[in-house]
Amino acid sequence: MNLKDINALKALLSTPQKIVIVPHKNPDGDAIGSTLGVCHYLQNSGHKATIVSPNDYPTFLKWMPGNEAILNFEKENYQAKDRIKEATVVFTLDFNHLGRIGQMQTILEKSNATFVMVDHHQAPSDYASIMYSDVSMSSTCEMVYNLIEYLGGIDQINADIANCLYTGIMTDTGSFKFATTTSRTHEVVADLIRKGAKNTQIHHNIYDSNRPSRLHLLGCALKNMVILKEYNTVYITLSQDELDTFKYQKGDTEGFVNYGLTLEGIRFAVIFIENKEEGILKISLRSVGDFSVNEFSRKHFHGGGHDNAAGGKSDDSIEETTAYFIGLLENYKDQLTA
């Protein structure tokens, strides 16, 4: 974060503000962890801060301190709109384009609040007056730790903030195995543990709270897995009927795409998940090495993200989309097999 933006943020927060904090639609551990971490810090600093989530999020994230006060824009629409309309400052965390917040986009575009962006994805748009954007960072939660440090508030990080930020760092780094995990990341995590983050309990809350139906859904996904050895690629499909059969709940497919990368020699893994309510296929893409799924998704599937982790979508059927996907791979064979 550059000195100009740090000073601008310090000046902005030097007097009490009415602040709305927004994660992206379908928020994950980093989105919820970072928004809660910022919310606790701002409230403890004398500001009126509220988190408004575009929609619901997985149950395994709802243990975090402060979760009960998050407003769901879909379910608590009038209250959420009132908070947005009265906001003097809007923090947007873990996304960098207002198109990532669904129905909230229109009302936020009309807001006269000062926007603050904190995000680590590529190709940020320019809606924010104050921007902290760094694609090299492991997670938005690590960036929030840095942000608090820039503001001179590191001693204000308490156990509630520490537990929230640890959660986002842990989940977005794949439990600290992804390449964006640096020595600095571990230093931040160590300090969060010193400040009260219960690392073992957090891991248990996130990863050891499965329902039998979720594991059965995972079995279905793995049964559907197709290995394309000539491209060092794996893809998985899940239809709406399969999701319904195994009583799908939001967050149940989190991490399924990563199983493909556990196979020896595989460099590219994709999952296609049918969502009849939205009329689309949701696509998650993962890679190892220097094959950029961010570029691949931006070019072919209306998405983007990071070099090794991205999302996208398709308006076509599973059959049409997977056929199109397979047809694309020949153009990338040299990159995937080098």
Side-chain angles (χ1 to χ4, degrees):
M1 191 174 188
N2 63 50
L3 186 59
K4 179 183 176 181
D5 283 329
I6 293 171
N7 289 334
L9 186 56
K10 285 181 177 179
L12 181 65
L13 299 178
S14 64
T15 56
Q17 303 288 341
K18 294 179 180 179
I19 301 174
V20 164
I21 307 163
V22 183
H24 55 74
K25 187 178 179 182
N26 301 317
D28 56 8
D30 194 27
I32 295 298
S34 59
T35 52
L36 281 169
V38 164
C39 189
H40 287 304
Y41 173 75
L42 292 172
Q43 288 174 343
N44 294 342
S45 301
H47 303 282
K48 180 181 178 182
T50 304
I51 299 170
V52 178
S53 177
N55 61 345
D56 202 4
Y57 49 93
T59 302
F60 59 75
L61 297 175
K62 293 185 176 180
W63 58 268
M64 279 191 273
N67 161 79
E68 67 284 349
I70 295 177
L71 296 178
N72 181 330
F73 188 80
E74 290 184 342
K75 295 180 179 179
E76 300 161 294
N77 188 260
Y78 291 110
Q79 189 177 359
K81 284 182 176 178
D82 284 345
R83 295 295 177 89
I84 293 170
K85 287 176 181 176
E86 70 178 17
T88 56
V89 179
V90 173
F91 275 76
T92 65
L93 273 65
D94 203 36
F95 69 97
N96 60 22
H97 191 287
L98 294 180
R100 291 291 318 280
I101 54 175
Q103 298 176 39
M104 288 180 63
Q105 180 175 358
T106 301
I107 189 171
L108 280 183
E109 285 177 338
K110 294 177 181 178
S111 172
N112 292 318
T114 300
F115 279 73
V116 181
M117 176 203 296
V118 183
D119 179 67
H120 64 137
H121 296 90
Q122 297 187 16
S125 55
D126 61 356
Y127 64 84
S129 300
I130 298 172
M131 183 184 300
Y132 179 19
S133 175
D134 188 342
V135 299
S136 71
M137 297 298 296
S138 73
S139 56
T140 301
C141 277
E142 184 176 346
M143 298 176 74
V144 168
Y145 179 96
N146 292 343
L147 185 73
I148 293 172
E149 187 173 48
Y150 294 145
L151 295 174
I154 208 73
D155 291 337
Q156 293 177 242
I157 296 180
N158 57 22
D160 285 349
I161 296 173
N163 278 297
C164 295
L165 297 186
Y166 184 99
T167 298
I169 297 172
M170 182 190 74
T171 55
D172 241 37
T173 59
S175 295
F176 313 105
K177 72 179 181 182
F178 295 155
T180 50
T181 306
T182 64
S183 59
R184 167 66 178 178
T185 306
H186 285 290
E187 289 167 0
V188 169
V189 163
D191 191 46
L192 293 175
I193 293 173
R194 282 192 295 270
K195 294 181 184 301
K198 303 297 184 184
N199 54 310
T200 301
Q201 186 62 45
I202 292 170
H203 193 281
H204 172 78
N205 291 345
I206 299 294
Y207 297 116
D208 300 333
S209 57
N210 286 315
R211 307 178 329 281
S213 59
R214 181 181 185 267
L215 296 185
H216 292 150
L217 180 62
L218 172 59
C220 176
L222 295 179
K223 185 177 180 181
N224 292 348
M225 183 172 66
V226 176
I227 302 172
L228 304 172
K229 289 185 178 179
E230 65 272 33
Y231 302 115
N232 292 328
T233 295
V234 162
Y235 74 87
I236 292 170
T237 60
L238 281 172
S239 69
Q240 186 68 62
D241 287 344
E242 289 168 329
L243 296 173
D244 293 343
T245 295
F246 296 106
K247 300 177 177 61
Y248 169 80
Q249 294 182 15
K250 187 174 289 291
D252 276 356
T253 57
E254 186 77 24
F256 282 13
V257 65
N258 296 319
Y259 280 87
L261 294 180
T262 68
L263 294 169
E264 185 176 1
I266 295 299
R267 299 186 64 185
F268 186 20
V270 183
I271 188 168
F272 302 92
I273 302 173
E274 188 174 26
N275 186 317
K276 284 192 174 179
E277 182 179 353
E278 296 186 25
I280 62 171
L281 286 184
K282 293 186 175 182
I283 307 171
S284 292
L285 308 92
R286 301 290 186 269
S287 67
V288 293
D290 56 7
F291 181 72
S292 175
V293 292
N294 171 62
E295 293 180 10
F296 185 91
S297 183
R298 286 184 185 279
K299 186 172 183 179
H300 303 294
F301 290 110
H302 315 287
H306 305 288
D307 284 338
N308 297 121
K313 65 178 181 177
S314 170
D315 296 323
D316 297 322
S317 68
I318 287 179
E319 294 75 17
E320 292 168 327
T321 303
T322 53
Y324 172 64
F325 170 72
I326 294 169
L328 292 172
L329 293 177
E330 186 63 29
N331 300 323
Y332 295 91
K333 187 172 184 178
D334 289 346
Q335 295 180 49
L336 293 168
T337 59

